[in-house]
Amino acid sequence: DAGVIQSPRHEVTEMGQEVTLRCKPISGHNSLFWYRQTMMRGLELLIYFNNNVPIDDSGMPEDRFSAKMPNASFSTLKIQPSEPRDSAVYFCASTLRGTYEQYFGPGTRLTVT
Amino acid sequence: DAKTTQPPSMDCAEGRAANLPCNHSTISGNEYVYWYRQIHSQGPQYIIHGLKNNETNEMASLIITEDRKSSTLILPHATLRDTAVYYCIVSFPSGGGADGLTFGKGTHLIIQP
């Protein structure tokens, strides 16, 4: 298995631009998570889905952030408009409900100038 | 806020056992203890989890005190590749790992040659 796939691996954009991060979970997994990591705040859960349905989005920092999971094999995290404080590494993770291990992708390093 | 307390950093000599402590004095009866690690520039990686009994797998051993207020992760023969930040997390098992994880600051373990 290829593991959790994230794209792009690096993204540099200017303030005000729209940014879309993508995630392909491990085949057969039915839960998907988006996390953000910064030096100041560490690793934070943004949102997670069970069976493609958003369950808890209380970690989404503000309305500029949105996430979708149109099917079991794809999810997006969108930031519109982006701001310099959104600069961080964004991780996607997936798991199969009933198991205990979350599998993390390699992350997308976002830099907003 | 994370419900665990870990030392910010630890050193261990290569080939020796690394013992990483974690305090979780407010853990509830059905919360599990999970350990993840994050090697520099990579996504977090699951290591082990436990409820009451000690657990061992190919990566590590987990020792949980009888009152469950603390635990120790043991890497029996540390190698340079074990240098990473280690996170101790307590979480309800609903759906196994299918709820979002709350990461604290973790312990930066440095293996010395």
Side-chain angles (χ1 to χ4, degrees), chain B residues 62-73:
Chain B
L62 174 60
I63 308 298
I64 303 174
T65 59
E66 190 170 348
D67 64 7
R68 301 207 327 120
K69 293 185 177 182
S70 65
S71 60
T72 300
L73 179 75

Side-chain angles (χ1 to χ4, degrees), chain B:
Chain B
D1 289 339
K3 296 186 283 188
T4 62
T5 303
Q6 300 177 252
S9 65
M10 293 181 61
D11 287 349
C12 179
E14 188 177 18
R16 304 298 293 267
N19 296 274
L20 291 88
C22 179
N23 287 321
H24 32 79
S25 58
T26 61
I27 191 170
S28 63
N30 55 352
E31 282 186 304
Y32 280 68
V33 179
Y34 296 85
W35 284 83
Y36 280 74
R37 74 179 182 183
Q38 187 175 23
I39 296 170
H40 182 62
S41 297
Q42 298 182 18
Q45 175 191 25
Y46 166 86
I47 301 173
I48 198 168
H49 75 279
L51 181 62
K52 296 181 182 179
N53 300 321
N54 299 338
E55 302 288 345
T56 295
N57 63 20
E58 66 278 5
M59 290 183 67
S61 295
L62 174 60
I63 308 298
I64 303 174
T65 59
E66 190 170 348
D67 64 7
R68 301 207 327 120
K69 293 185 177 182
S70 65
S71 60
T72 300
L73 179 75
I74 301 172
L75 307 179
H77 305 286
T79 70
L80 297 179
R81 290 174 295 178
D82 293 321
T83 293
V85 178
Y86 288 76
Y87 297 98
C88 171
I89 301 164
V90 296
S91 182
F92 290 102
S94 53
D99 287 340
L101 298 172
T102 299
F103 288 83
K105 298 184 184 302
T107 295
H108 187 194
L109 176 66
I110 300 172
I111 306 301
Q112 304 283 2

Side-chain angles (χ1 to χ4, degrees), chain A residues 7-52:
Chain A
S7 64
R9 294 292 311 276
H10 301 272
E11 177 80 34
V12 180
T13 191
E14 292 183 349
M15 182 175 61
Q17 296 298 306
E18 178 180 295
V19 175
T20 299
L21 310 181
R22 297 173 175 78
C23 176
K24 177 178 170 55
I26 292 173
S27 178
H29 284 187
N30 52 11
S31 293
L32 182 140
F33 310 82
W34 283 101
Y35 293 87
R36 177 174 70 173
Q37 186 171 33
T38 62
M39 289 294 292
M40 290 293 292
R41 300 176 65 87
L43 266 163
E44 305 173 281
L45 175 69
L46 298 178
I47 185 171
Y48 73 94
F49 297 81
N50 286 340
N51 296 316
N52 312 337

Side-chain angles (χ1 to χ4, degrees), chain A residues 2-112:
Chain A
V4 175
I5 299 172
Q6 294 187 245
S7 64
R9 294 292 311 276
H10 301 272
E11 177 80 34
V12 180
T13 191
E14 292 183 349
M15 182 175 61
Q17 296 298 306
E18 178 180 295
V19 175
T20 299
L21 310 181
R22 297 173 175 78
C23 176
K24 177 178 170 55
I26 292 173
S27 178
H29 284 187
N30 52 11
S31 293
L32 182 140
F33 310 82
W34 283 101
Y35 293 87
R36 177 174 70 173
Q37 186 171 33
T38 62
M39 289 294 292
M40 290 293 292
R41 300 176 65 87
L43 266 163
E44 305 173 281
L45 175 69
L46 298 178
I47 185 171
Y48 73 94
F49 297 81
N50 286 340
N51 296 316
N52 312 337
V53 176
I55 301 301
D56 183 357
D57 65 354
S58 60
M60 297 284 263
E62 46 196 279
D63 292 345
R64 297 184 297 105
F65 286 69
S66 62
K68 294 182 180 180
M69 192 164 186
N71 57 62
S73 60
F74 184 66
S75 177
T76 59
L77 178 67
K78 184 177 294 186
I79 308 173
Q80 166 64 20
S82 58
E83 298 183 1
R85 59 188 167 136
D86 302 330
S87 296
V89 180
Y90 291 80
F91 291 102
C92 176
S94 70
T95 193
L96 177 65
R97 287 188 69 83
T99 64
Y100 293 89
E101 179 177 352
Q102 290 189 16
Y103 294 80
F104 284 75
T108 294
R109 181 174 296 276
L110 173 65
T111 303
V112 183

